Amino acid sequence: MGSRGANVLLSRASRIKTKLQSVLEAKLLEVEDVSYQHAGHAAVKDNANETHFNVKVVSGKFDGQNLVKRHRMVYDALADELESGLHAISIVAKTPKEAGLD
Amino acid sequence: MAKALSSMFFKSLQSTRTSASSVSGPFVQYGMRFSTGVPSDPDTHDDFKPTNKLENSDITLKDIVEQDVKENHVMIYMKGDPEQPRCGFSSLAVRVLSEYRVPIHSRNILEDPELKNAVKAYSMWPTFPQIFINGEFIGGSDIILNMHQASFCIFALLILG
């Protein structure tokens, strides 16, 4: 059947975690699917499935980067997801020092 | 021609301070879509009559975005409008910005997919709302809230500019 079968079997949350982990070398990574909170949303239409996530990332790669740059790094890592139904992510992006992990 | 397009542009731009008009939805003219602001205003009737503007039409959506952000100190591209947001993040952004009691200019990107894409390309940011202050892209609702809570003085200086 589909050649992308293996990837699709994983949940979006799993794919997000994998991508962020590899791109950002996260020390801490929390991904939560909150799509149910947006089920009546204008843009969600029929499928309130895996559309909205809360993401918390702690990574040394955020050192010296302002919030816009940090969020762009996260968005860039998730570009494929954003093109395939991921509508929005609430991002918390901290350095290890800011997160008290140092 | 430029004046006619400019007046259409200004009519469609919403301001929370003075806006009592409702947006009646996009109309299409020669492939370019604009939201109409005041359809029953007799002064604008001529603008809506079909004319052969295309050969002189150099205004692109990118131009409109540039104009939006440069001419309005606080500019938000959002889902819905400030009186009636259609998304929790857009609603949050408007509420934060409203705390500063400055005029907020907005466009509803739900009405116009081409405008939505033009804004995304301009800011290189994939989601909405998008807030621009003093011509500069500031971020989405997360960032606005963070600046309001954590960097209030700096944010206030920026907004009150």
Side-chain angles (χ1 to χ4, degrees):
Chain A
M1 278 211 186
S3 56
R4 59 186 176 91
N7 203 24
V8 170
L9 286 174
L10 291 172
S11 67
R12 177 161 268 148
S14 303
R15 297 197 303 270
I16 290 177
K17 273 191 195 151
T18 306
K19 284 175 191 179
L20 291 180
Q21 187 63 55
S22 85
V23 170
L24 297 175
E25 294 168 20
K27 295 203 179 230
L28 184 90
L29 183 54
E30 291 169 11
V31 176
E32 185 192 0
D33 186 340
V34 291
S35 307
Y36 66 92
Q37 292 176 3
H38 298 264
H41 200 286
V44 168
K45 290 180 188 174
D46 305 310
N47 190 11
N49 216 15
E50 300 191 316
T51 55
H52 291 69
F53 287 80
N54 291 336
V55 171
K56 180 176 175 181
V57 193
V58 177
S59 164
K61 298 207 168 196
F62 293 143
D63 266 316
Q65 308 285 334
N66 66 22
L67 283 181
V68 170
K69 288 185 186 150
R70 296 184 192 189
H71 287 211
R72 279 214 172 101
M73 288 166 74
V74 173
Y75 283 136
D76 286 347
L78 300 177
D80 287 346
E81 301 296 330
L82 285 160
E83 279 169 31
S84 63
L86 175 62
H87 272 292
I89 30 180
S90 285
I91 302 172
V92 173
K94 296 191 174 183
T95 63
K97 189 174 177 190
E98 289 163 0
L101 291 183
D102 247 353
Chain B
M1 196 287 299
K3 187 183 169 191
L5 268 173
S6 306
S7 71
M8 274 201 281
F9 158 72
F10 282 114
K11 292 256 184 290
S12 67
L13 198 57
Q14 292 224 351
S15 163
T16 53
R17 281 303 172 97
T18 57
S19 171
S21 63
S22 61
V23 181
S24 68
F27 75 94
V28 181
Q29 186 158 1
Y30 300 110
M32 294 189 75
R33 295 167 59 122
F34 299 98
S35 297
T36 58
V38 194
S40 58
D41 183 345
D43 291 338
T44 64
H45 269 191
D46 284 345
D47 292 340
F48 294 93
K49 288 179 183 160
T51 59
N52 198 3
K53 293 179 186 175
L54 187 58
E55 72 236 20
N56 294 325
S57 169
D58 292 324
I59 296 188
T60 62
L61 286 171
K62 184 178 176 240
D63 292 332
I64 288 182
V65 175
E66 270 176 8
Q67 231 176 325
D68 276 350
V69 307
K70 281 170 188 166
E71 295 184 4
N72 299 296
H73 185 60
V74 179
M75 180 70 207
I76 178 171
Y77 291 97
M78 61 182 286
K79 298 184 177 181
D81 49 60
E83 290 83 16
Q84 206 174 18
R86 301 289 295 277
C87 151
F89 300 114
S90 289
S91 172
L92 175 63
V94 168
R95 271 184 283 142
V96 170
L97 292 172
S98 300
E99 291 289 305
Y100 296 87
R101 308 279 194 266
V102 293
I104 300 165
H105 295 86
S106 71
R107 281 199 199 265
N108 179 0
I109 52 87
L110 288 177
E111 290 184 331
D112 190 340
E114 285 172 31
L115 175 67
K116 185 178 169 182
N117 290 333
V119 176
K120 284 185 181 182
Y122 184 84
S123 57
M124 292 190 294
W125 193 265
T127 56
F128 289 92
Q130 296 193 15
I131 294 93
F132 293 78
I133 298 177
N134 204 29
E136 190 189 328
F137 176 65
I138 302 299
S141 60
D142 286 346
I143 293 178
I144 293 293
L145 181 62
N146 183 281
M147 290 178 82
H148 173 65
Q149 291 175 330
S151 318
F152 176 76
C153 292
I154 295 171
F155 193 45
L157 282 172
L158 182 66
I159 286 197
L160 299 171

